Amino acid sequence: MKTRIVTGVLAGAVFLGFLLWGGPAYGALLTLMAVIGYDEYIRMNGIGRKKPEALIGFAGVLCLLLFSFQEWSDRSAVDWVIGHPERLVWLLLFLFFAVTVLSKNKTTIDQIALLFLGVFYIGIGFRYMMETRSGADGLYWTLFVFLCIWASDAGAYFVGRMLGKHKLWPEISPNKTIEGAVGGIVITMIVAICFHFGRPELLDIGRAISLGIIISIVGMLGDLMQSAYKRVKGIKDTGTLLPGHGGILDRTDSWLIVFPFLQLLSLLPQ
């Protein structure tokens, strides 16, 4: 627990520093995290990072992140992708399928399907973290989402330890409880209401409560999704980068689902 707390405080302080700084620095940090996360993902699936199909996946993640930078002087390449995202989807699909042919099926369609899925699961998740920060009142909304996610995690953990008796989903995550989940939702609503009082002109109390509930529930689903996948693969953590916490994907499982969910459903200002 001591290692977990120390790592969490240090990593959290560094991350918040970059978040407050914003701009290219924050974007670069998210890009680095996405690349490390994708590396964890391909290792979970037993694929070497130097294989052509893995390199195509890394390139796809980088495209999704780098094309979100607002500081591009020449927007032609950016607009080619952003204006028509299906182009990037098709190009990646073509390259992945080409590898199966050129390798004479040594690279299987099952492998490229997993790699293709990982590009968008990880790349889009981090992309919307970046776009939220660069949008209108981006710092406020990004802090709002992150603090709600962290409040939900902490609330679920501590309430679950104190009051938890009924398992939430033992086949997927045996330590999570219904009492903990309810506690996480309540704590998240309190944090969201605090944000309302900080900037009531941006966030009315009804919207704060509803967003808090949504973020908590969707964040828990993101956590359970990652837990389910790790259980299938027979592993506890996706990596060892953060002592006591695991890897990047272990720490960002909720983030990767919450940010796209909020943005794609237009629940946050664009």
Side-chain angles (χ1 to χ4, degrees):
M1 180 59 72
K2 181 179 179 182
T3 300
R4 184 181 178 88
I5 292 173
V6 171
T7 302
V9 170
L10 291 176
V14 171
F15 183 81
L16 282 174
F18 276 90
L19 172 57
L20 294 172
W21 190 357
Y26 180 61
L29 176 64
L30 291 182
T31 302
L32 176 62
M33 291 173 66
V35 169
I36 295 172
Y38 193 73
D39 184 63
E40 293 174 356
Y41 179 83
I42 63 174
R43 285 191 288 107
M44 285 168 59
N45 288 288
I47 300 171
R49 61 169 64 104
K50 294 182 180 180
K51 289 191 173 182
E53 60 270 27
L55 296 177
I56 293 169
F58 280 117
V61 171
L62 285 172
C63 284
L64 285 169
L65 270 294
L66 294 178
F67 285 144
S68 292
F69 277 87
Q70 301 297 315
E71 290 76 16
W72 288 86
S73 55
D74 180 6
R75 298 286 301 180
S76 57
V78 180
D79 292 337
W80 187 87
V81 174
I82 300 302
H84 301 276
E86 70 277 3
R87 291 173 174 172
L88 177 60
V89 174
W90 188 89
L91 181 58
L92 283 172
L93 190 66
F94 170 77
L95 292 173
F96 277 129
F97 273 120
V99 170
T100 66
V101 174
L102 295 174
S103 69
K104 299 179 181 178
N105 274 337
K106 290 181 181 178
T107 298
T108 67
I109 193 169
D110 292 340
Q111 289 174 321
I112 66 166
L114 286 169
L115 291 171
F116 187 74
L117 175 67
V119 168
F120 293 97
Y121 167 55
I122 296 167
I124 289 178
F126 280 104
R127 174 198 173 98
Y128 279 114
M129 294 177 214
M130 190 183 300
E131 293 201 351
T132 301
R133 178 64 178 86
S134 63
D137 299 295
L139 180 59
Y140 174 88
W141 289 111
T142 305
L143 283 172
F144 171 77
V145 177
F146 274 127
L147 288 176
C148 282
I149 291 173
W150 295 334
S152 179
D153 288 345
Y157 177 77
F158 288 109
V159 173
R161 284 188 62 121
M162 290 187 295
L163 304 175
K165 293 181 180 179
H166 302 90
K167 298 297 183 182
L168 177 65
W169 212 314
E171 297 85 359
I172 300 298
S173 186
N175 294 325
K176 289 182 172 58
T177 64
I178 294 174
E179 292 83 0
V182 173
I185 293 171
V186 172
I187 299 298
T188 307
M189 289 169 58
I190 294 171
V191 169
I193 291 170
C194 290
F195 270 84
H196 155 71
F197 287 115
R199 294 288 299 274
E201 74 280 9
L202 289 180
L203 183 65
D204 64 64
I205 192 163
R207 189 181 182 199
I209 293 172
S210 61
L211 281 176
I213 294 171
I214 290 169
I215 290 170
S216 183
I217 293 173
V218 175
M220 290 179 198
L221 282 172
D223 189 335
L224 288 169
M225 290 172 189
Q226 188 68 245
S227 296
Y229 196 71
K230 287 188 290 187
R231 186 166 287 273
V232 168
K233 293 298 177 180
I235 59 175
K236 181 179 182 295
D237 296 319
T238 62
T240 58
L241 180 67
L242 303 169
H245 290 266
I248 290 293
L249 295 183
D250 292 305
R251 291 302 90 207
T252 62
D253 47 13
S254 298
W255 311 4
L256 291 171
I257 299 299
V258 170
F259 276 91
F261 186 92
L262 295 175
Q263 287 283 9
L264 292 170
L265 294 182
S266 299
L267 297 177
L268 294 180
Q270 302 294 313

